[in-house]
Amino acid sequence: HLLLFLFFVGPFNCFASYSRATELFYSLNEGLPAGVLIGSLARDLRLPTSGGQHPAASQPPLSFTLASHGLGGQYVQLDNRSGELHTSAVEIDREALCVESSGATIFGGAAAVSSSSPSSESCLLLLDVLVLPQEYFRLVKVKIAIRDVNDNAPRFPVPHIRLSVPENAPVNTRLAIEHPALDPDVGTNGVQTYRLQDNYGVFTLDVEENESGERTPYLIVMGPLDRETQEEYVTVIVAEDGGTPPLVGSATLTIGISDINDNCPHFSDLQLNITLYGNSTLGTHVATVHAVDMDLGSNAQITYSYSQKVPQPSRELFHLDESSGVITLSRKVDGDTPRLHRLIILGNGPGCIPAVITVLVTIIKVMMRPPEVVPRFIANEAEGVVYLKELEPINTPIAFFTIKDPDEKYKVNCYLDGDGPFRLSPYKPYSNEYLLETTKPLDYETQQLYEISVVAWNSEGFHVNKIIKVQVLDDNDNSPVFSQQLIELSIEENNVPNAFLTKLYATDADSGERGQVSYFLGPDAPSYFSLDKTTGVLTVSTQLDREEKEKYRYTVKAVDSGFPPREAIATVTITVLDKNDNSPRFINKDFSFFVPENFPGFGEIGVISVTDADAGQNGWVALSVLNGSDIFVIDTGKGVLRAKVSLDREQQSSYVLWIEAVDGGDPALSSTAKITILLLDINDNPPLVLFPQSNMSYLLVLPSTLPGSPITEVYAVDKDTGMNAVIAYSIIGRRGPRPESFRIDPKTGNITLEESLMQNDYGLYRLLVKVSDHGYPEPLHSTVMVNLFVNDTVSNESYIESLLRKEPDISIEEKQPQISIEPTHKKIESASCMPTLVALSVISLGSIALVTGMGIYICLRKGKKHHRAEENLEVQIPLNGRINLHMLEKKPVEISNI
């Protein structure tokens, strides 16, 4: 979206008259990647370029340069030739650039200035661009408006907002929520609405917008509030902007209901009946009145006072504490004291009608003094509390009690009142002495405090109680106890360092430091496990690898702080769960298999071994052939490689396959291996005679030929390799005037003249040549008839042809050809196959070189033969594969002149 405005001003005084300043305005979104086109200065300024339709003949090239490389220059890239302005690698963040809250912020050079002309939401980058050469000089003011995108979510300045509402707030009360949400984005991308996740049926939110556009949320009371029913509401306030999609921010909103004085004191009872003995001492506790006010703070303060109806003598006899409501005896009871007192007590609250309770006190006059109980403590005692350690032995003495009658008139008895392992028994031989002792060991964890009474009464039925409190002191008699003795954990391998495993928890029934538990790893725990001694949090500091170790088992200790310390031991077992983090691995990256040719289809070529260190489905491996799948297949389960068809080395001597292994993980991992299959040659091809080409061809041999001269040759090839392709030549049949005059080289096939030819040696010589390979176990061979006509000239071709058509009477010689390369077939020992395989590999590689050499040799020989045919008047006739003298071709023989 290009907003282009051109403003042309007057000429600068310091330049030529055609120089002028121009302003260009562009706009783009913030956050764009590098390379986005902002605008083309040359096009937008309508400057002539080299690509124009009518460029000047000597038009100098335009040059665009930033006048300064300040803050704005780092966000753009200017092409000096084309004038195209692009975004740079520095991402434009509108909220970081335009920090002003109002007005436009313009960045250019090294300073920022404010502009009042753009809208309140504009944010501009200012660039100064110089256009050269001088003929087109301009100072271009480029202003780029940065448009806001919704890339910031609303955020409350504090995570917890607290608001107080009085409980008597009427419906529709509005309270402003301090700390509204902030959103650096502007316009509709800023904060638009607020809502409560839970309004409890009594609250709602409203938003007010002031003149500057700021939105403030208000809490509106929609129902009655009662602090005594619920004093606090906790919910979440959510702020939402107007972007697409909208972004939200939240904070916890706590609405506290403040108290008002809407409750008055009240007593749970209307009357208390109290009996008081006339011989009670001053300060004796008579009764306690207690009123309740449901309000809080000063609204719930209660004071107690006598009603005006209470007579003055009663006021003076009984003291009422106005704060606690405790009534005590303030004067001694004498014979003139009334026996019945009606005390009307008021519970006074602020702004309330007093609550009323009546305390009816009946005084019983006593003419005798009560028995006396005098304790003498053996155990440690302070302020009436006896302190005993737990686990003290049975019959531990606590105190002696002396029981006596001050008037010495009445018999006094005593007994022990209260629960606990205590016993009060007479201490003989004294009649008025009693011993208080334990009956079994005390246990702090069972009960910490006992309250017992030593009761003494005389024959007149007068009772006296002496209350004794026994505080049991804790001892370190309990060991820590783990919640589980066997803690079984599991974690996936490749975990993040310092990963949380579990939190150990042990309890100790002892108190204080004796019950504080610390946690420690056992000596068998690996060093990379950590246990926080205070919290019991167990972590592992390094990544675990299931393939390295799958299970860990070690002990942990919980030790208390007693003296001596006590401990408990638990066992931790950790199972490392598998992740698919290992690719299948072939035993070898390259596999080589040697297979004899003509191997039967679907026969086992070899086994490809592959492993995967992962477990379960992650370790399941499937094999497949990536290339050559139309010929080869592989057994996924066993890794057996097979060929669908029989293989022929003469068609293809080797195969290179790529095998892929894919595991069963998600996502799956894979690896590949190279498979080379070399076909071993077997002797399945007999030698092929290439020359002479026919049994009907013949060669003229002049009688003047010197002994040892080459006459002709037999040339054959074998498609096999190695010893199977080593060819030997031999003459197995002869016919002619003196047939032994000719011999053949067993290695080269060259036929030479052995002896000088005489007059009676003229005539037709027929040599049956056997061409045999040295294959194993059975050599193969072919035969060819070599015809030599010894004469000065060929005067009668038809006569020679008639001789050739007749079946020769040739006896077959069984003599084997003798050549220097003689393969020996030794019995293969079953104890070692590796040397054989190595030898076969060498032979196979040698065969390839041999075939190549033979091809070169054949080409050279063909050229040589052509030249020799011209010199020796050689006749070439097609050759049959075997000797068949009856099926001779009857074609005319052409003899070239020498």
Side-chain angles (χ1 to χ4, degrees):
H1 304 287
L2 174 65
L3 301 175
L4 178 61
F5 304 95
L6 298 175
F7 300 91
F8 299 96
V9 299
F12 290 102
N13 293 330
C14 55
F15 296 100
S17 61
Y18 46 76
S19 300
R20 58 186 181 273
T22 307
E23 286 191 352
L24 293 179
F25 287 88
Y26 300 99
S27 65
L28 77 159
N29 292 340
E30 62 173 326
L32 293 177
V36 175
L37 178 64
I38 301 174
S40 175
L41 302 185
R43 184 185 68 234
D44 298 336
L45 293 174
R46 300 179 181 176
L47 296 176
T49 62
S50 60
Q53 294 181 356
H54 303 286
S58 60
Q59 173 183 325
L62 292 175
S63 173
F64 299 85
T65 308
L66 287 175
S68 62
H69 296 277
L71 179 62
Q74 66 177 324
Y75 297 104
V76 298
Q77 288 183 340
L78 177 63
D79 190 302
N80 294 338
R81 292 299 180 187
S82 67
E84 289 188 348
L85 198 62
H86 295 82
T87 57
S88 70
V90 180
E91 184 178 294
I92 300 177
D93 185 0
R94 185 187 184 282
E95 289 73 36
L97 290 176
C98 302
V99 296
E100 300 293 335
S101 60
S102 64
T105 303
I106 305 175
F107 294 88
V113 297
S114 298
S115 172
S116 59
S117 59
S119 66
S120 62
E121 297 180 357
S122 63
C123 175
L124 302 179
L125 286 178
L126 178 61
L127 305 173
D128 290 342
V129 180
L130 296 177
V131 182
L132 297 174
Q134 187 173 357
E135 296 92 307
Y136 303 103
F137 174 79
R138 297 187 186 190
L139 174 63
V140 183
K141 297 284 187 177
V142 179
K143 294 182 179 181
I144 305 174
I146 309 302
R147 293 193 297 267
D148 182 49
V149 297
N150 191 27
D151 57 345
N152 292 278
R155 184 177 62 86
F156 286 91
V158 292
H160 196 153
I161 302 174
R162 187 169 185 87
L163 190 65
S164 180
V165 181
E167 62 177 326
N168 64 340
V171 176
N172 294 327
T173 298
R174 300 170 64 88
L175 297 100
I177 297 178
E178 298 181 359
H179 312 295
L182 305 176
D183 193 329
D185 297 324
V186 297
T188 57
N189 293 331
V191 178
Q192 299 296 316
T193 61
Y194 292 85
R195 69 176 186 273
L196 295 176
Q197 278 192 358
D198 187 357
N199 58 19
Y200 294 96
V202 292
F203 299 106
T204 188
L205 287 179
D206 190 15
V207 180
E208 292 186 1
E209 184 175 355
N210 58 16
E211 295 179 356
S212 62
E214 296 179 352
R215 295 173 180 264
T216 303
Y218 281 81
L219 182 72
I220 303 177
V221 180
M222 301 298 294
L225 304 175
D226 185 7
R227 189 205 64 79
E228 288 74 32
T229 302
Q230 185 167 349
E231 64 180 359
E232 187 177 74
Y233 297 87
V234 180
T235 183
V236 175
I237 182 172
V238 179
E240 183 176 306
D241 62 21
T244 304
L247 303 177
V248 298
S250 63
T252 302
L253 176 62
T254 301
I255 306 171
I257 309 302
S258 60
D259 184 55
I260 64 171
N261 191 24
D262 58 346
N263 290 280
C264 290
H266 68 276
F267 290 102
S268 58
D269 298 316
L270 297 178
Q271 180 174 309
L272 295 178
N273 296 317
I274 304 298
T275 299
L276 182 66
Y277 290 102
N279 60 350
S280 299
T281 59
L282 294 179
T284 299
H285 178 269
V286 177
T288 300
V289 294
H290 180 69
V292 177
D293 192 325
M294 299 299 294
D295 292 326
L296 290 177
S298 61
N299 294 330
Q301 290 183 354
I302 301 175
T303 59
Y304 301 94
S305 63
Y306 284 123
S307 171
Q308 295 181 357
K309 297 179 181 181
V310 178
Q312 188 63 32
S314 297
R315 292 171 181 259
E316 295 176 355
L317 182 62
F318 300 104
H319 174 264
L320 173 62
D321 188 292
E322 65 176 4
S323 298
S324 63
V326 175
I327 303 172
T328 58
L329 185 64
S330 60
R331 289 178 58 184
K332 193 169 183 178
V333 178
D334 55 23
D336 297 331
T337 302
R339 293 193 176 185
L340 184 63
H341 297 267
R342 183 181 298 273
L343 306 177
I344 301 175
I345 300 174
L346 304 179
N348 305 295
C352 291
I353 299 175
V356 180
I357 187 173
T358 300
V359 179
L360 194 61
V361 181
T362 302
I363 299 177
I364 301 176
K365 291 187 177 182
V366 178
M367 301 305 295
M368 65 187 73
R369 289 186 293 175
E372 293 181 359
V373 178
V374 181
R376 288 171 294 168
F377 292 99
I378 303 172
N380 293 332
E381 181 269 343
E383 298 181 356
V385 179
V386 177
Y387 296 92
L388 290 177
K389 288 186 177 181
E390 65 174 334
L391 303 181
E392 289 281 1
I394 300 175
N395 300 327
T396 297
I398 299 174
F400 278 113
F401 290 90
T402 302
I403 309 299
K404 62 182 179 178
D405 181 12
D407 298 326
E408 298 182 354
K409 295 181 180 180
Y410 305 97
K411 181 181 180 182
V412 179
N413 296 314
C414 73
Y415 65 91
L416 187 64
D417 186 23
D419 297 327
F422 306 103
R423 177 176 58 215
L424 182 67
S425 58
Y427 190 73
K428 296 178 180 181
Y430 306 102
S431 60
N432 61 339
E433 297 289 341
Y434 292 85
L435 176 63
L436 179 63
E437 59 185 353
T438 61
T439 58
K440 62 180 181 179
L442 303 177
D443 187 2
Y444 174 86
E445 288 72 36
T446 302
Q447 188 169 343
Q448 294 86 35
L449 181 65
Y450 295 90
E451 186 172 314
I452 56 177
S453 298
V454 176
V455 181
W457 84 98
N458 58 20
S459 56
E460 294 298 321
F462 197 92
H463 292 73
V464 174
N465 292 345
K466 182 64 177 179
I467 299 176
I468 306 296
K469 293 182 178 180
V470 179
Q471 176 67 53
V472 182
L473 301 179
D474 188 29
D475 199 358
N476 192 30
D477 60 335
N478 290 278
S479 299
V481 177
F482 279 101
S483 58
Q484 293 176 284
Q485 287 298 312
L486 179 61
I487 304 165
E488 297 179 324
L489 307 173
S490 63
I491 184 174
E492 278 194 343
E493 63 176 331
N494 304 331
N495 55 282
V496 297
N498 300 316
F500 172 83
L501 293 175
T502 189
K503 182 176 181 180
L504 302 181
Y505 183 69
T507 58
D508 194 315
D510 294 323
S511 63
E513 292 184 354
R514 291 171 291 273
Q516 293 180 359
V517 179
S518 300
Y519 302 91
F520 302 93
L521 291 171
D524 55 345
S527 60
Y528 39 84
F529 288 95
S530 301
L531 180 59
D532 190 288
K533 64 177 296 185
T534 304
T535 63
V537 173
L538 181 64
T539 58
V540 56
S541 61
T542 186
Q543 281 190 347
L544 299 180
D545 187 358
R546 188 204 66 84
E547 290 72 38
E548 181 179 340
K549 190 171 183 179
E550 184 175 5
K551 288 187 179 294
Y552 295 85
R553 184 183 181 93
Y554 53 86
T555 57
V556 291
K557 294 191 298 183
V559 183
D560 64 22
S561 302
F563 184 80
R566 303 173 71 98
E567 66 180 35
I569 297 178
T571 301
V572 175
T573 63
I574 301 174
T575 301
V576 183
L577 304 179
D578 185 54
K579 290 181 69 175
N580 191 30
D581 58 342
N582 289 276
S583 301
R585 285 188 61 187
F586 289 92
I587 299 301
N588 300 309
K589 293 303 292 182
D590 295 327
F591 291 84
S592 296
F593 297 108
F594 297 90
V595 182
E597 65 174 328
N598 302 330
F599 193 69
F602 291 96
E604 180 177 326
I605 295 175
V607 177
I608 292 98
S609 298
V610 62
T611 61
D612 194 313
D614 293 322
Q617 186 174 350
N618 294 333
W620 181 85
V621 179
L623 297 174
S624 60
V625 181
L626 296 180
N627 62 326
S629 58
D630 54 337
I631 300 177
F632 298 94
V633 294
I634 190 167
D635 188 339
T636 296
K638 298 180 180 179
V640 176
L641 181 65
R642 305 176 189 275
K644 299 179 183 178
V645 297
S646 179
L647 305 177
D648 186 0
R649 190 205 61 81
E650 284 71 39
Q651 293 183 2
Q652 186 170 343
S653 61
S654 64
Y655 296 87
V656 177
L657 305 179
W658 289 95
I659 303 297
E660 182 182 38
V662 181
D663 62 22
D666 185 16
L669 301 178
S670 64
S671 61
T672 57
K674 180 182 178 182
I675 311 296
T676 302
I677 302 173
L678 299 173
L679 298 183
L680 303 179
D681 183 51
I682 64 173
N683 194 26
D684 58 346
N685 291 280
L688 176 63
V689 178
L690 300 180
F691 183 83
Q693 296 180 351
S694 171
N695 290 331
M696 296 296 293
S697 63
Y698 66 94
L699 181 68
L700 175 66
V701 179
L702 298 177
S704 60
T705 302
L706 298 177
S709 300
I711 304 301
T712 186
E713 70 172 346
V714 177
Y715 179 69
V717 296
D718 196 314
K719 294 182 179 180
D720 295 322
T721 61
M723 298 302 293
N724 295 333
V726 176
I727 298 175
Y729 303 89
S730 61
I731 299 175
I732 61 173
R734 303 168 186 262
R735 185 179 179 185
R738 191 154 56 96
E740 63 276 2
S741 300
F742 299 94
R743 67 175 296 272
I744 188 168
D745 190 301
K747 290 193 294 183
T748 64
N750 291 333
I751 298 176
T752 58
L753 179 65
E754 286 291 297
E755 301 174 356
S756 299
L757 298 174
M758 303 300 179
Q759 184 68 31
N760 56 354
D761 294 335
Y762 285 32
L764 180 64
Y765 291 79
R766 308 197 72 177
L767 305 178
L768 180 60
V769 178
K770 179 182 179 181
V771 182
S772 176
D773 61 25
H774 286 72
Y776 177 83
E778 194 69 35
L780 302 178
H781 69 272
S782 300
T783 58
V784 66
M785 186 69 73
V786 178
N787 302 302
L788 304 175
F789 184 65
V790 178
N791 201 0
D792 293 323
T793 60
V794 179
S795 58
N796 190 351
E797 291 185 7
S798 60
Y799 171 71
I800 298 174
E801 289 180 2
S802 64
L803 295 177
L804 293 176
R805 292 190 187 97
K806 294 180 181 180
E807 183 176 350
D809 183 14
I810 300 176
S811 61
I812 304 299
E813 302 175 2
E814 297 299 332
K815 182 179 178 181
Q816 296 294 330
Q818 300 296 323
I819 61 174
S820 60
I821 301 177
E822 294 184 359
T824 58
H825 306 290
K826 297 183 180 180
K827 185 176 181 181
I828 299 175
E829 298 180 2
S830 60
S832 176
C833 295
M834 186 56 67
T836 303
L837 293 177
V838 173
L840 291 175
S841 302
V842 174
I843 292 173
S844 299
L845 296 175
S847 66
I848 297 174
L850 180 62
V851 171
T852 304
M854 291 180 67
I856 298 173
Y857 178 73
I858 292 171
C859 294
L860 295 176
R861 294 294 295 179
K862 284 184 178 179
K864 182 178 178 182
K865 288 175 185 177
H866 178 73
H867 180 68
R868 185 182 298 170
E870 294 178 352
E871 293 180 350
N872 298 336
L873 298 176
E874 195 172 279
V875 179
Q876 299 182 0
I877 303 175
L879 175 69
N880 291 330
R882 64 179 186 274
I883 300 177
N884 189 348
L885 302 180
H886 298 283
M887 300 295 293
L888 299 178
E889 297 181 6
K890 299 180 180 180
K891 294 183 179 180
V893 179
E894 297 180 0
I895 301 176
S896 59
N897 295 325
I898 300 176

